[in-house]
Amino acid sequence: LANVRLELGDLIGARRSFEEALAAFEQAKNDVWISYVNSRLAEVCHAMHEYHAALRYAVRGLSVARERGLFKESVDNLQALPKIHAALGDYQSALRYSQEFAAMRDSMVSNAIASEMMELDLRQQQMMDSLTREEELSLEAATYRTAATKAGRQRNLFLFAGIGVMVVSAGLWSRLRQVGRVRRELAAGNALIEDEKLRAERSEKV
């Protein structure tokens, strides 16, 4: 709400809202928001030409940020200090804070770029790992299909071989039965011949 009022040009309303927020964050001992709200109050007071009040807020916000190691909040407060000191006629301090702000801003940008690059590298590595895994799965599937095809062919070969053995066995069995029948017929014929010879010999003796 305070930022909205500030954008609408309601400096008094924005300052009141920021001061209420600052009191609440100080009670909660939330140093991040304490530092940030001080930087916003410094901007509001500067816009209201209350430069000493603006300086107090910016210095306090920067002190909290540095004490807690809050990089972004340090940059927020440093951004207000050069123009506040310039408005007060302290150009040496304005230059010093301006140079410090530029250095920290550039560092923040560099860190953001480095973070984006690391995240991009991580995403690329994850994509490569995913592609590698997909290739491995595809290779495993192809190997399985090849093995299954080979097994199917071997199974068919064994099936055909089994059928062939059964056919040959059936043929041999049929052949053996025929041979047995012929042998029995020959034996029966030989027996008849022997009987006829015996009868003929008896007839000659009589």
Side-chain angles (χ1 to χ4, degrees), residues 15-165:
R15 181 174 181 176
R16 184 171 59 250
S17 295
F18 278 126
E19 287 173 343
E20 291 173 355
L22 180 60
F25 290 128
E26 285 177 339
Q27 186 176 0
K29 297 181 179 180
N30 190 324
D31 292 327
V32 174
W33 282 97
I34 288 172
S35 180
Y36 170 73
V37 174
N38 271 285
S39 72
R40 301 306 293 154
L41 278 166
E43 293 285 351
V44 173
C45 290
H46 178 270
M48 296 175 71
H49 305 290
E50 295 186 19
Y51 303 123
H52 290 287
L55 181 60
R56 286 195 301 271
Y57 282 124
V59 169
R60 182 163 182 265
L62 181 61
S63 176
V64 172
R66 284 177 169 171
E67 183 181 350
R68 298 302 183 188
L70 305 173
F71 191 90
K72 180 182 177 299
E73 285 69 26
S74 295
V75 174
D76 290 336
N77 287 280
L78 280 170
Q79 186 175 8
L81 282 168
K83 57 187 178 184
I84 293 172
H85 279 290
L88 292 169
D90 186 358
Y91 298 106
Q92 185 175 357
S93 296
L95 178 61
R96 176 166 58 87
Y97 281 116
S98 178
Q99 291 172 343
E100 187 176 356
F101 166 71
M104 292 195 71
R105 179 194 58 194
D106 293 344
S107 177
M108 185 170 65
V109 171
S110 297
N111 290 338
I113 293 174
S115 178
E116 287 290 334
M117 292 297 294
M118 289 180 62
E119 186 176 352
L120 179 60
D121 289 341
L122 179 61
R123 287 200 298 266
Q124 288 178 339
Q125 186 61 45
Q126 289 174 342
M127 290 177 63
M128 291 178 63
D129 292 344
S130 178
L131 289 173
T132 301
R133 182 55 183 157
E134 288 181 3
E135 290 175 354
E136 291 176 351
L137 291 175
S138 178
L139 181 60
E140 290 177 1
T143 303
Y144 172 77
R145 287 195 298 270
T146 301
T149 301
K150 184 177 180 180
R153 290 175 179 172
Q154 290 178 341
R155 185 170 57 251
N156 292 337
L157 179 61
F158 291 150
L159 178 62
F160 292 144
I163 294 174
V165 170

